[in-house]
Amino acid sequence: MTESKILKGQRDRSRIDVNDPVDVEYLHHQFPWLTHKEIKDAIKQHGPDREAVQSILERAGSRSHTDDD
């Protein structure tokens, strides 16, 4: 049986499932300048902790935006 997204606890919200397209798409919505592959690679490299991955993606975004200048 598929896990219900509605019944997620705090522990589940703090983790990202790289195999869940909804989780990856949510991050892509937050960081649209990154590809889905870049987001998945960051999750695989840094683990499923949402705060850690978002921090890494924010830094990646700030580097790519300053490279354009």
Side-chain angles (χ1 to χ4, degrees):
M1 188 160 119
T2 306
E3 181 181 338
S4 172
K5 295 289 183 188
I6 297 171
L7 301 177
K8 281 190 162 192
Q10 184 61 35
R11 183 173 173 213
D12 288 335
R13 283 189 207 102
S14 68
R15 301 178 68 75
I16 303 167
D17 181 0
V18 72
N19 298 313
D20 185 349
V22 173
D23 282 355
V24 176
E25 186 59 36
Y26 181 76
L27 284 172
H28 181 65
H29 181 72
Q30 289 180 296
F31 305 98
W33 55 89
L34 298 173
T35 66
H36 288 88
K37 183 180 181 331
E38 290 172 321
I39 292 169
K40 286 181 179 183
D41 289 346
I43 297 166
K44 289 176 184 174
Q45 185 175 8
H46 300 285
D49 180 66
R50 184 173 301 278
E51 286 185 22
V53 170
Q54 287 179 325
S55 176
I56 296 297
L57 295 176
E58 286 170 1
R59 281 187 263 150
S62 67
R63 279 196 311 262
S64 69
H65 283 101
T66 57
D67 291 345
D68 292 341
D69 293 339

